[in-house]
Structures are given as C-alpha cells and as structure tokens.
Amino acid sequence: MFLLSFSVPTSTLDAYPERYLAAWNQRNIANALAVVHPKVHWVDPLLPEPLTDHDGAAAFFGGAWQGFPRAARRSPSVLTGYSRLRGM
C-alpha cells in the first residue's frame, strides 16, 4: 500500500466551505465541479454508494438542484467557528 501525504495551507482549508457554498448557490455544474477533486471519495448516508468521480458529483448536484429548486446554502455559524474547534 502506498500512502501519499502532502501539506495544504490552513488558509486553503479555511476558505473551502465558502467556496463550496458559493459554487452550490450558482447552480452551474462547471463551477460546482471546480471545487470537487476529480477522484473524490464522498460518502453521504442518503446515497446508495460513495461518489468517486465528477460524473457522480454532477449527478448529485443536478439531482439536488432539481429536487430543491429554491434551496440556497448559507454558511452556518458553526463553520465560522471552525478555527476555534481546531484549536487555532
């Protein structure tokens, strides 16, 4: 087994929730997929199996947007406290 490890700047991780939520709210599949790694492993208890690529992610976004046409995501207050939870 090969394990690859790399460092991601904290600022990139801290900015991710806002980037994801902004992409979600634009309801543009290209923008939504831009914030998802092409080889994602996305586990959601409401899905029959994990999403593992952009095709699965695109189907997820499309289905959610169709099923909930007026739903908008906003950054919950728990995300703004993320740095405190990490002990930063």
Side-chain angles (χ1 to χ4, degrees):
M1 178 176 174
F2 179 74
L3 179 61
L4 177 64
S5 177
F6 60 93
S7 178
V8 175
T10 303
S11 60
T12 299
L13 296 175
D14 287 343
Y16 183 77
E18 290 300 326
R19 287 186 10 243
Y20 175 85
L21 296 172
W24 172 279
N25 290 335
Q26 291 170 20
R27 295 183 181 254
N28 176 294
I29 198 63
N31 293 342
L33 293 178
V35 299
V36 176
H37 192 278
K39 294 184 179 183
V40 66
H41 185 82
W42 182 344
V43 177
D44 185 313
L46 297 177
L47 298 174
E49 58 189 37
L51 303 177
T52 58
D53 56 25
H54 272 182
D55 290 340
F60 171 81
F61 286 119
W65 293 334
Q66 182 178 9
F68 303 97
R70 287 182 283 201
R73 304 272 184 155
R74 285 177 275 163
S75 181
S77 60
V78 70
L79 293 178
T80 61
Y82 176 70
S83 293
R84 288 192 309 269
L85 292 174
R86 282 194 345 248
M88 301 291 296

